Amino acid sequence: MEDLKKYVVAASGKMRQPAFDILNEQVTLLAWQQGGRVPAEQFDSWLAQADALYSAGNIKIDAALLAKAPSLKVIAQASVGYDNIDIAACTARGIRVGNTPGVLNDAVADLAYGLIIDCARNIVRGHEHVKSGLWGQRRGMGFGTDLAGKTLGIAGMGGIGKEIAVRAQASKMKVIYHNRHRRTDEKQLGVSYASWEDLLAQSDFVVAAVTLNPSTKGMFNEQAFAMMKPTASFINVARGAVVDTKALYQALKEGQIAHAALDVTDPEPLPGDHELLTLPNITVTSHIASSTTETRDAMAVLTAENILAGLRGERLPAQINEIKG
Ligand code: DGY
């Protein structure tokens, strides 16, 4: 086996221990384990020597960063989303780029399901109600709604969307989906395809599970919310920028839709005094969908495996771009 110690791997943020252990044993590692971002000057000096980049902390990876890293062969990002990376610029430089699909599907789907249930059953609002000493006074809380018999519309039926469908079906929901490409396994999954307009009009709960790209940016806009039922809930576990935040605020405020539950927001982090948080019909969590110990460890290990494969000149276990030669 090739000795990879001659290669330098720079990390842009703290690595989980399993990834640190794998890489530290096999390569020359420049890691920042005290949390937060590596100071800019230090990071630049690391990039100047780096054969590989372990990308953590959602840093912008563009032509300007690549210019600082003349020896870079592989970039492995410790997340499934990669909208922070200029893939075309990496491909032009012959740099393989990897991410972490699959290993986080269950964790993200669990959180999405939790947010669906929160919209239906007022879990967070119930907690706030009790905390404010109002238990016993029904006024202000109202009733929730059953999931059984309701329609869940999933926008973006990839690995995560599929797992959300399984959970919703356990609650006896009907599942419809909209995707760029219609799936061939609809029957096995027990889901049916809907046009974008039908998905919005027919769903009682709409979940965004799409990748952020130019065609999905801002797809949940004023027109989209206007097409949804006034009793519907909107859940986002994709990326904040697939939503026009102002339009969502207006839709919730004016009762165009009933509830929203967001794990991702635009901007992110969402300031504590943001207008969205003044609304009574929203729950926001802090981009925690993949944040379980097991899942984050699995994502870190896959990131390390992507790096090792790239240093050996092999295709990455989870490679995003195509490199010729
Ligand atoms: C991802 O992997 O893209 C999730 O959003 C967690 O960061």
Side-chain angles (χ1 to χ4, degrees):
M1 264 254 258
E2 190 188 359
D3 181 6
L4 301 179
K5 273 283 178 194
K6 62 184 178 228
Y7 293 121
V8 173
V9 177
S12 60
K14 187 175 177 178
M15 291 180 188
R16 297 206 43 94
Q17 199 60 37
F20 182 91
D21 292 344
I22 292 168
L23 291 174
N24 201 35
E25 196 188 314
Q26 302 196 45
V27 302
T28 301
L29 189 55
L30 302 174
W32 186 258
Q33 291 301 84
Q34 52 262 66
R37 293 257 172 96
V38 194
E41 220 170 278
Q42 177 147 14
F43 189 49
D44 285 354
S45 83
W46 287 1
L47 286 175
Q49 318 161 51
D51 297 289
L53 173 63
Y54 186 109
S55 166
N58 202 29
I59 58 164
K60 193 171 167 65
I61 300 178
D62 55 8
L65 181 141
L66 298 183
K68 297 177 185 173
S71 315
L72 214 52
K73 298 163 190 51
V74 54
I75 296 171
Q77 171 136 304
S79 70
V80 69
Y82 52 85
D83 44 281
N84 57 314
I85 306 179
D86 183 341
I87 299 293
C90 296
T91 307
R93 273 271 310 270
I95 298 169
R96 294 177 198 270
V97 185
N99 66 339
T100 64
V103 292
L104 77 180
N105 290 354
D106 283 316
V108 176
D110 283 343
L111 191 86
Y113 189 43
L115 294 178
I116 291 169
I117 298 175
D118 178 60
C119 286
R121 302 302 306 275
N122 295 316
I123 297 172
V124 173
R125 279 172 293 284
H127 176 74
E128 291 302 326
H129 187 71
V130 173
K131 248 176 89 173
S132 47
L134 295 174
W135 193 351
Q137 298 180 30
R138 270 225 176 269
R139 231 152 25 103
M141 269 299 294
F143 286 148
T145 184
D146 283 351
L147 293 185
K150 297 290 181 348
T151 298
L152 171 66
I154 301 177
M157 192 68 162
I160 292 170
K162 246 168 82 170
E163 290 302 332
I164 297 171
V166 169
R167 286 152 179 78
Q169 285 159 343
S171 287
K172 304 178 187 160
M173 298 183 84
K174 173 184 169 187
V175 181
I176 60 177
Y177 77 97
H178 182 75
N179 235 14
R180 257 175 318 170
H181 306 293
R182 197 163 167 168
R183 300 190 63 110
T184 51
D185 54 357
E186 283 175 3
K187 259 215 176 88
Q188 283 138 266
L189 298 177
V191 301
S192 20
Y193 179 82
S195 69
W196 174 233
E197 291 74 16
D198 285 348
L199 181 105
L200 295 171
Q202 291 172 17
S203 300
D204 299 295
F205 298 82
V206 174
V207 177
V210 288
T211 310
L212 173 62
N213 58 46
S215 70
T216 59
K217 192 167 192 299
M219 68 193 281
F220 289 95
N221 55 18
E222 198 184 329
Q223 291 78 14
F225 292 122
M227 278 189 264
M228 287 171 62
K229 298 181 186 180
T231 50
S233 295
F234 171 69
I235 294 97
N236 189 3
V237 291
R239 282 290 180 267
V242 304
V243 177
D244 175 339
T245 301
K246 194 79 204 167
L248 174 62
Y249 173 78
Q250 289 301 343
L252 287 167
K253 194 170 159 66
E254 287 160 19
Q256 243 170 11
I257 64 169
H259 295 108
L262 315 174
D263 183 50
V264 285
T265 57
D266 181 22
E268 207 168 282
L270 193 70
D273 60 356
H274 193 277
E275 63 182 359
L276 273 181
L277 299 171
T278 64
L279 297 168
N281 47 351
I282 191 166
T283 295
V284 182
T285 53
S286 51
H287 202 147
I288 56 168
S290 67
S291 305
T292 67
T293 305
E294 301 87 341
T295 293
R296 284 296 172 90
D297 280 352
M299 291 164 75
V301 168
L302 180 50
T303 307
E305 286 167 352
N306 277 338
I307 285 187
L308 296 178
L311 291 176
R312 288 191 204 102
E314 295 164 4
R315 189 177 176 81
L316 315 188
Q319 185 167 321
I320 296 161
N321 57 350
E322 288 308 318
I323 302 295
K324 290 202 187 96

